[in-house]
Amino acid sequence: MAQKNKLQFIILGLLNQQPLTGYDLTKAFDTEIGEFWQAQHSQIYPQLKRLEEQGYITHEITISGEKLEKKLYHITAIGQTLLGSWISDGTPDLTATKDEFILKLYFIQTNRDPRLKAMVQEQLQLHTDKLTHLQQRLATVFPTKASQTANYGHYLILQHALGREDYYVNWLNQTLSALPKR
Amino acid sequence: MAQKNKLQFIILGLLNQQPLTGYDLTKAFDTEIGEFWQAQHSQIYPQLKRLEEQGYITHEITISGEKLEKKLYHITAIGQTLLGSWISDGTPDLTATKDEFILKLYFIQTNRDPRLKAMVQEQLQLHTDKLTHLQQRLATVFPTKASQTANYGHYLILQHALGREDYYVNWLNQTLSALPKR
DNA sequence: TTAAAACATGTAATTTATTACACGTTTTAA
DNA sequence: TTAAAACGTGTAATAAATTACATGTTTTAA
């Protein structure tokens, strides 16, 4: 096995909250979960097929408009069991974060490198934007204590992502300040 | 093209510091760079072959002991050019951090979930260990200001990884404390 | 009303990554 | 001295992920 096929569990987890189409699932990776996982529809549709073959999900066909068929997928009982066992299982492997900028940084030998400043500034812009975006999402999605408790895991990971970006931005600022003046 | 083939640049970057064998490169992913990228030898040897075919690296054969042949790879001038352009190019894409624990957390609905506490505690242990490990590495690899300046990029990313783990541990502790008492 | 954007579902080709298979040498410590 | 660990280099099989190809419907806004 080449990896652990986490996509299947993500799909099960999302379907456990509510029935969704392949298209809905695809969109979920642009917002909700996109912070922590990426997947394209070309990966999702075949995975849905496999999950259904294995009995973890089923689908019903609904008609949108005149004739557009939508496949609305539901999780089954054994699907819920599989999801539950994945969550309950330990998670002992900390995957390396594949951060291309950090990778490039590694190959910079000296703090006098003329490229350094622009590189850090670019990332500062990107991560500041992301931080702002996450702050807005947290505020709009979880405005009240009640809303936070209602979907606790989601709240936690958004808050985690926010804190992570906050650290990243601070570190970049600090790194920029520490750069030699000329 | 399926991705950007960053592995080739990592190899070039490492060879730019000093000539290395495939075996040396493989080991680099266990220590140095393993914090930010992973690769197995089965990926590295074919990549070395391709880089050599394209003229970005060359190798010389040295004999270790009686007859063990080692291929010591060197970066070429055009290899250095390629490496330089990769570093100089912008890095506008922030890749999603594929964190399985965070993924699982997303599917936890309520803060009363009985699995939550053990899950957070496990991660706390793992990340605390990692934090300790990084602190020791930073202290041993970069004990002096001079050593930090001598290999600035490496210093920066180690320090970044350390801060990241520190945040993670703090967040986990905070999350654990916020859990309802029973 | 009509064109663009969004909705909706798939497959094919290619690349990247992991695990497994395969073989042999040198060094180190019991 | 001898067995295990580390050194050293490769290929094969498989799985995961990205990009590209392919097609059609419905909604929305100009």
Side-chain angles (χ1 to χ4, degrees), chain B residues 33-132:
Chain B
I33 225 164
E35 198 62 39
F36 296 98
W37 210 268
Q38 285 298 139
Q40 280 71 41
H41 77 278
S42 59
Q43 222 185 328
I44 291 166
Y45 287 110
Q47 184 66 67
L48 283 169
K49 209 185 212 173
R50 280 195 296 277
L51 282 169
E52 186 159 40
E53 279 164 12
Q54 295 168 308
Y56 298 121
I57 61 176
T58 52
H59 80 268
E60 87 193 89
I61 291 178
T62 64
I63 303 288
S64 184
E66 281 296 297
K67 50 181 164 177
L68 181 61
E69 291 193 350
K70 295 204 288 183
K71 291 186 180 177
L72 199 60
Y73 286 91
H74 298 255
I75 194 168
T76 63
I78 59 161
Q80 288 181 318
T81 305
L82 183 62
L83 175 64
S85 64
W86 172 66
I87 291 174
S88 298
D89 275 356
T91 318
D93 301 315
L94 308 180
T95 2
T97 25
K98 301 201 162 183
D99 184 323
E100 190 175 3
F101 165 69
I102 293 290
L103 217 45
K104 290 183 180 182
L105 217 47
Y106 179 77
F107 298 115
I108 299 288
Q109 311 277 352
T110 139
N111 64 0
R112 300 264 168 197
D113 192 301
R115 296 166 295 188
L116 205 40
K117 193 177 172 188
M119 287 171 70
V120 176
Q121 280 173 335
E122 183 196 25
Q123 295 300 309
L124 188 55
Q125 182 64 58
L126 289 167
H127 283 280
T128 303
D129 288 351
K130 192 167 174 185
L131 178 59
T132 306

Side-chain angles (χ1 to χ4, degrees), chain A residues 140-160:
Chain A
T140 53
V141 182
F142 298 105
T144 63
K145 260 260 145 67
S147 61
Q148 292 168 15
T149 327
N151 231 311
Y152 198 62
H154 189 178
Y155 167 69
L156 281 182
I157 70 159
L158 238 183
Q159 184 222 30
H160 172 82

Side-chain angles (χ1 to χ4, degrees), chain A residues 124 131 163 165-176:
Chain A
L124 188 54
L131 178 59
E165 282 307 315
D166 190 54
Y167 162 69
Y168 211 128
V169 167
N170 284 331
W171 176 77
L172 285 168
N173 270 317
Q174 197 182 298
T175 302
L176 201 56

